[in-house]
């Protein structure tokens, strides 16, 4: 009688490439979903138009125009007191968050 030995590599040789292809497809699908979700997020953040930005800042610009032309210390102090700087941090944060999206 011939000696027949069992070789475990022979039985799994057909399943290996199939499993590998399935893993590659799953990884590609996960990457595509991630890519498209990032692009969708960027488009929703860029919904402001230049006109809406200008309209938001119009009140602040108008407040700057009402400042005094005098260079006396009292009028400068009054202008500084009247200037509204409460939203300055929010505006600079918004600008800093939009800078990476300018690619």
């Amino acid at each position: 009688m011939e000696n027949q030995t069992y070789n475990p590599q022979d039985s799994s040789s057909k399943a290996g490439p199939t499993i590998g292809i399935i893993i590659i497809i799953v990884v590609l699908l996960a990457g595509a979903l991630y890519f498209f979700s990032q692009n969708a997020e960027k488009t929703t953040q860029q919904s402001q138009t230049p006109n809406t930005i200008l309209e938001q800042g119009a009140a602040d610009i108008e407040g700057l125009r009402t400042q005094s032309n005098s260079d006396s210390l009292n009028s400068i102090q009054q202008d500084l007191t009247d200037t509204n700087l409460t939203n300055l941090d929010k505006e600079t944060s918004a600008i800093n968050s939009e800078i990476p999206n300018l690619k």
Side-chain angles (χ1 to χ4, degrees), residues 44-84:
T44 57
Q45 288 177 353
Q46 296 175 353
S47 62
Q48 287 188 335
T49 64
N51 289 335
T52 58
I53 294 170
L54 289 174
E55 289 169 2
Q56 291 170 352
D60 295 332
I61 292 171
E62 200 57 42
L64 291 174
R65 289 185 182 149
T66 60
Q67 290 183 349
S68 166
N69 291 334
S70 174
D71 59 351
S72 70
L73 290 178
N74 290 334
S75 64
I76 293 173
Q77 182 64 38
Q78 185 63 38
D79 288 341
L80 287 174
T81 305
D82 293 342
T83 303
N84 183 8

Side-chain angles (χ1 to χ4, degrees), residues 26-55:
V26 168
V27 169
L28 288 175
L29 287 174
L33 287 174
Y34 175 77
F35 176 75
F36 288 122
S37 69
Q38 294 297 319
N39 281 341
E41 184 178 311
K42 285 181 182 178
T43 57
T44 57
Q45 288 177 353
Q46 296 175 353
S47 62
Q48 287 188 335
T49 64
N51 289 335
T52 58
I53 294 170
L54 289 174
E55 289 169 2

Side-chain angles (χ1 to χ4, degrees), residues 80-102:
L80 287 174
T81 305
D82 293 342
T83 303
N84 183 8
L85 300 175
T86 57
N87 293 330
L88 189 61
D89 290 338
K90 292 178 186 177
E91 292 173 8
T92 55
S93 297
I95 291 170
N96 287 335
S97 67
E98 291 175 5
I99 288 174
N101 297 331
L102 297 177

